[in-house]
Amino acid sequence: IPVPNTMKEARASKHWPLFKRAILDEIHGKMANNAWTVVKRPPNVHVLRSRFVFTIKYKDDGSVDKIKTRFIACGYSQVEGCDYSKVFAATLPGVSFRVLCAAINDEDLETDHIDAVKAFTQADIDHLIYVECPEMPDDPKPEGKSSWVLLLHKALEGIKQGAYLWFAHNKAAWLKLGFVSWINEANLYYHAELNIRVGVFADDILAGYPAAATAAYKNIKAAYSKLIKIDSPSLCPVLKFTGVQISRDRGERTLTIRQHRYIDQLAEDYKGEFE
């Protein structure tokens, strides 16, 4: 399915009903998180531009898994010192992800996937920021500046400090639950008493826990869900994580990671560049 770059392209797509549903889900989700208040445009203030970004996720068999839309602020229009200050947030590198997988396999841990819902909009904003209102599916954006803007209460995807604010918010949650981060990797956490290991990549979390600690892990996940809004409290064994497919042979004590589907998608996205 061709991925639209603009709302106009999305409307012109034969899959518009799917994109429209994704747009409405995105806006409703952010409003449920109290992400902003719609206010009259104050005079002489800096207002960030905004847009929708569309992505399509596929299953391993090539069928559509999910169509997602994110409403983002255009961070390039931010002014340092006015709209943001701290921006750095550590991410989980490939070598650390492989170390986590090796530990899970070596210790024969069970796995669980946690997905934070609208993760960036769960962290409180650290500056006074106004953003242009989104163009809604049944209400095309008028020409010129709207007299209404969004006053942010929570961080928004696209702002320069968004990753920093989410990282700090999520880190505080894991520390509160008794975990410590690895000395040389801020996105790997460990619970010494229960031997639970956690890896964080943006809003995706891979957890490994001993079968004997299943009840304790469920309690930790329930407590985490009170600090961070997640998609489901149910356990979800990990077969795929951030585009990496994971397969295990528990009898042979092996764990294999591959990115066949991700590579196929890259080839599809960039085939025009090499023709």
Side-chain angles (χ1 to χ4, degrees), residues 46-51 72-77 130-132 141:
H46 183 230
V47 179
L48 306 187
R49 304 172 85 174
S50 65
R51 59 177 296 225
I72 70 168
C74 298
Y76 61 78
S77 60
Y130 295 94
V131 177
E132 296 282 358
K141 204 168 187 178

Side-chain angles (χ1 to χ4, degrees), residues 4-259:
N5 293 313
T6 65
M7 181 70 85
K8 182 178 179 180
E9 290 182 10
R11 285 198 179 96
S13 170
K14 65 179 181 180
H15 303 287
W16 167 240
L18 299 178
F19 290 121
K20 179 179 178 179
R21 181 70 263 167
I23 291 169
L24 295 177
D25 288 344
E26 166 71 353
I27 295 301
H28 291 161
K30 282 185 163 58
M31 292 176 66
N33 280 350
N34 191 33
W36 58 63
T37 298
V38 180
V39 299
K40 276 283 190 178
R41 183 187 292 265
N44 304 317
V45 298
H46 183 230
V47 179
L48 306 187
R49 304 172 85 174
S50 65
R51 59 177 296 225
F52 285 103
V53 174
F54 303 94
T55 57
I56 302 172
K57 294 188 176 183
Y58 295 90
K59 298 179 182 178
D60 289 344
D61 61 5
S63 61
V64 175
D65 180 25
K66 184 186 299 183
I67 290 181
K68 297 182 66 174
T69 302
R70 291 193 183 278
F71 174 65
I72 70 168
C74 298
Y76 61 78
S77 60
Q78 285 185 263
V79 177
E80 185 175 3
C82 173
D83 302 314
Y84 71 95
S85 51
K86 296 181 179 179
V87 299
F88 175 77
T91 189
L92 186 70
V95 64
S96 297
F97 169 66
R98 291 193 291 273
V99 167
L100 176 61
C101 288
I104 288 173
N105 186 61
D106 182 61
E107 298 166 14
D108 197 28
L109 302 180
E110 306 299 320
T111 60
D112 182 41
H113 178 259
I114 303 174
D115 185 15
V117 179
K118 311 296 182 202
F120 280 30
T121 59
Q122 295 194 41
D124 293 335
I125 198 68
D126 61 343
H127 284 70
L128 184 65
I129 297 182
Y130 295 94
V131 177
E132 296 282 358
C133 290
E135 179 180 358
M136 298 303 290
D138 298 320
D139 185 22
K141 204 168 187 178
E143 294 293 331
K145 293 182 178 180
S146 169
S147 58
W148 299 92
V149 294
L150 308 178
L151 170 62
L152 295 188
H153 303 310
K154 302 287 186 178
L156 184 65
E157 288 94 337
I159 64 173
K160 292 183 180 293
Q161 70 268 48
Y164 162 78
L165 295 175
W166 161 247
F167 173 82
H169 181 56
N170 190 46
K171 183 182 180 71
W174 287 112
L175 295 181
K176 186 174 183 178
L177 294 173
F179 287 77
V180 294
S181 57
W182 292 18
I183 295 175
N184 61 339
E185 178 48 71
N187 283 292
L188 291 180
Y189 296 89
Y190 181 63
H191 195 294
E193 181 182 351
L194 299 172
N195 190 33
I196 298 175
R197 301 183 180 277
V198 169
V200 179
F201 185 88
D203 57 354
D204 281 304
I205 298 151
L206 169 58
Y209 60 93
T214 300
Y217 173 73
K218 287 182 177 179
N219 290 335
I220 286 176
K221 186 171 184 178
Y224 179 76
S225 69
K226 294 179 180 179
L227 302 172
I228 303 290
K229 185 178 292 187
I230 62 177
D231 61 343
S232 171
S234 302
L235 299 185
C236 180
V238 180
L239 301 176
K240 187 176 181 181
F241 186 71
T242 64
V244 178
Q245 296 150 285
I246 301 174
S247 57
R248 299 177 72 180
D249 186 327
R250 302 293 284 269
E252 295 293 329
R253 297 292 293 274
T254 62
L255 184 151
T256 304
I257 58 176
R258 52 196 173 89
Q259 290 185 283

